[in-house]
Amino acid sequence: MSVVIIDREGKSKHNYLKWLNDFDQEVYILGYLETINSFSYDKAIGFPEFETNGNVEQFIYELNKIDPVTKILAFEEGSIIRAACIRKNLGIKGQTLEEALLFRDKYLMRKKLSKEGFKIPKFRKVDHFMDVVSFCEQFGYPVILKPRKKWASKGVIKIENKDSLSDVLYNISLDDYLVEEYVSGQLYHVDGFFNGQSIEFSCCSMYVKNCLEAFEEGFGLGSIMLDIDSNEDKLLKNYTAEIFKKFEVDYNTIFHAEIFIDKSGNPILCEIGSRLVGGEYTKNIIKSFSINLDEYLVKRELGLPYNVGNTSSVRLSGKVWIPAQKGYMKSIPILDLDGLIEIQIKQYKNVRFTGLQKQMDYLLTVSFFGKNLDELLQKAMDIKNFYSKSIDWSETITDTWFTTQ
């Protein structure tokens, strides 16, 4: 008997061999050639062009003939459908393709929940340009165009008026898109573990600025944890639990839900995925709750114990992503911050940056502790302001080489 793990990031993010030290089945880790050697393990196998290489499936098919595969594990958004298709073809228990699509396809997700009575923005599947034109005429502006199966705000477009609609219709292919009403409200995210019957752990956080606006304005992402048992915390957790009931989930899964709370205090789903939160925010959850969601899922899926511990005694945390501007920079100024957890800095010397072209075009990230939501929000804004004012950018690389008096 064997287990297959589909991995996209390497040992630095997922230390499977440590977690499965006492596991008695063979474990195969399949991933990118560029990261697979980090495991230093003879059953860690890399493939070129991993995401689109069908030899990954062929390998699992042949493996199943000689060493029956009992589990297929996947964590990231881009691997969920792939893992479900493999399970379907090999008759392996776990999340089915139909179940995976509810968590990946934003159109099917909205269709299901709207039938169940959830408050959902008006939406429409886009089969033709006319679907967008008529939707705008019927519901007015602004509206949101988004790909049905992408993530991290990839391909999401806000149409403000007829002029911007004309620009969009001229410049974009609308294959596999949906169009929906723009939601005015604060955006939150809920991250946790569902054990097949109920949500066993969850953590609620607030985006410092809603994702789309943070990208459009060049502000960059920021997330801060909510005060536990606050009104918003309870509302979001209950709402997420109701989604799992309506989806009739009966298997283990991690999840990342993005939920608006509108001006009337009503929760409105943006999207939910059966995958990890991005941007390495899982590190914050580890620091605050001593819970590793990756390890949580792996051990529970394979029948190994994972002790959640006492989650009532936590230290709230937040994280901000500082986006790059256009040009070159010489150095990163030193941040003096009480409660600092970690600063991660990308290679920047002699690198020309092109600004915030996509959501994860950041220069550095800062994680930090705070006593409550208000303190975390103040720290997040202070960090953003500090780097905005103190980093000097230049259009000329030679300006970054020497100190001038």
Side-chain angles (χ1 to χ4, degrees):
M1 298 292 188
S2 63
V3 169
V4 172
I5 297 175
I6 297 175
D7 180 86
R8 298 173 65 240
E9 298 179 300
K11 183 181 177 181
S12 65
K13 304 292 178 64
H14 304 116
N15 198 352
Y16 306 115
L17 301 180
K18 179 181 177 181
W19 303 341
L20 299 176
N21 186 49
D22 298 325
F23 189 60
D24 60 1
Q25 292 185 30
E26 296 286 6
V27 176
Y28 291 82
I29 305 171
L30 309 185
Y32 287 90
L33 283 176
E34 295 81 359
T35 59
I36 202 69
N37 288 335
S38 64
F39 292 104
S40 301
Y41 174 58
D42 63 349
K43 293 181 176 59
I45 301 161
F47 293 82
E49 305 297 330
F50 179 71
E51 288 193 21
T52 56
N53 191 335
N55 283 308
V56 175
E57 282 77 1
Q58 176 78 348
F59 177 90
I60 297 172
Y61 187 86
E62 296 298 329
L63 171 65
N64 189 61
K65 291 180 182 178
I66 60 174
D67 194 2
V69 179
T70 60
K71 290 285 184 181
I72 302 285
L73 302 183
F75 306 90
E76 292 85 19
E77 195 90 53
S79 302
I80 298 300
I81 298 297
R82 186 178 209 175
C85 288
I86 295 169
R87 292 189 197 101
K88 180 178 180 179
N89 280 276
L90 296 183
I92 298 170
K93 290 183 179 180
Q95 187 184 53
T96 66
L97 178 57
E98 293 74 21
E99 290 165 341
L101 285 169
L102 277 181
F103 283 100
R104 284 285 285 115
D105 189 319
K106 298 175 183 66
Y107 172 71
L108 296 179
M109 187 187 302
R110 283 154 175 72
K111 185 177 179 182
K112 170 70 173 176
L113 292 177
S114 63
K115 285 184 177 180
E116 296 289 348
F118 278 65
K119 184 176 181 181
I120 299 291
K122 299 291 191 303
F123 66 98
R124 183 178 298 169
K125 181 174 64 170
V126 175
D127 294 317
H128 191 274
F129 290 124
M130 186 57 72
D131 294 317
V132 182
V133 174
S134 61
F135 187 91
C136 292
E137 286 295 316
Q138 182 176 355
F139 298 107
Y141 299 93
V143 303
I144 300 294
L145 269 175
K146 58 177 63 175
R148 289 170 59 176
K149 300 186 187 74
K150 290 185 179 180
W151 61 96
S153 300
K154 295 174 185 175
V156 177
I157 301 169
K158 184 179 180 182
I159 301 176
E160 298 276 7
N161 48 46
K162 276 193 174 183
D163 288 339
S164 61
L165 172 62
S166 297
D167 292 338
V168 168
L169 295 177
Y170 180 76
N171 288 310
I172 193 172
S173 170
L174 294 177
D175 292 339
D176 213 28
Y177 265 73
L178 66 83
V179 58
E180 67 180 7
E181 289 180 304
Y182 175 78
V183 177
S184 179
Q186 177 64 53
L187 185 60
Y188 300 82
H189 58 97
V190 185
D191 303 285
F193 177 81
F194 186 86
N195 65 12
Q197 296 179 323
S198 63
I199 295 175
E200 195 166 283
F201 166 78
S202 61
C203 165
C204 297
S205 304
M206 181 181 82
Y207 285 107
V208 175
K209 188 182 285 286
N210 290 359
C211 298
L212 184 58
E213 285 74 18
F215 175 69
E216 290 180 333
E217 298 169 18
F219 182 80
L221 288 174
S223 282
I224 52 178
M225 292 180 182
L226 298 187
D227 299 325
I228 294 176
D229 290 333
S230 64
N231 290 336
E232 292 83 1
D233 182 73
K234 292 177 181 177
L235 178 67
L236 292 166
K237 287 177 178 176
N238 290 335
Y239 182 80
T240 306
E242 286 300 311
I243 293 174
F244 275 92
K245 286 182 183 178
K246 298 306 180 184
F247 279 5
E248 299 179 326
V249 179
D250 60 358
Y251 50 88
N252 293 323
T253 184
I254 46 181
F255 65 87
H256 171 69
E258 297 190 346
I259 302 167
F260 291 100
I261 296 181
D262 68 15
K263 294 178 180 178
S264 300
N266 299 310
I268 302 174
L269 182 69
C270 176
E271 62 181 85
I272 185 170
S274 54
R275 50 93 172 179
L276 289 170
V277 58
E280 296 191 0
Y281 195 71
T282 49
K283 289 185 176 181
N284 284 68
I285 296 174
I286 293 171
K287 288 291 185 181
S288 292
F289 294 90
S290 298
I291 289 177
N292 185 324
L293 288 172
D294 304 311
E295 183 180 359
Y296 202 157
L297 177 64
V298 169
K299 287 189 171 180
R300 286 298 179 85
E301 273 289 87
L302 301 184
L304 301 174
Y306 185 85
N307 183 22
V308 175
N310 182 11
T311 59
S312 61
S313 178
V314 303
R315 194 175 180 190
L316 302 178
S317 67
K319 183 171 186 174
V320 293
W321 290 256
I322 306 300
Q325 298 181 30
K326 292 182 179 180
Y328 299 92
M329 58 173 298
K330 184 172 185 179
S331 62
I332 302 289
I334 297 174
L335 173 69
D336 183 16
L337 180 72
D338 180 51
L340 179 66
I341 298 174
E342 180 185 41
I343 299 177
Q344 287 189 307
I345 303 173
K346 284 187 173 181
Q347 172 60 41
Y348 62 88
K349 291 186 177 180
N350 298 326
V351 174
R352 178 174 178 79
F353 291 93
T354 57
L356 191 58
Q357 302 295 317
K358 55 186 179 181
Q359 196 67 271
M360 287 290 109
D361 279 339
Y362 60 86
L363 173 66
L364 60 92
T365 65
V366 182
S367 297
F368 50 93
F369 289 119
K371 295 177 182 177
N372 52 44
L373 180 69
D374 290 339
E375 182 177 289
L376 288 170
L377 180 58
Q378 186 61 57
K379 285 186 175 183
M381 297 306 298
D382 289 346
I383 295 167
K384 290 277 189 179
N385 291 333
F386 171 78
Y387 285 113
S388 176
K389 293 177 180 178
S390 59
I391 296 178
D392 292 325
W393 292 87
S394 173
E395 281 296 315
T396 306
I397 189 172
T398 55
D399 289 343
T400 69
W401 288 348
F402 308 105
T403 300
T404 56
Q405 301 295 331

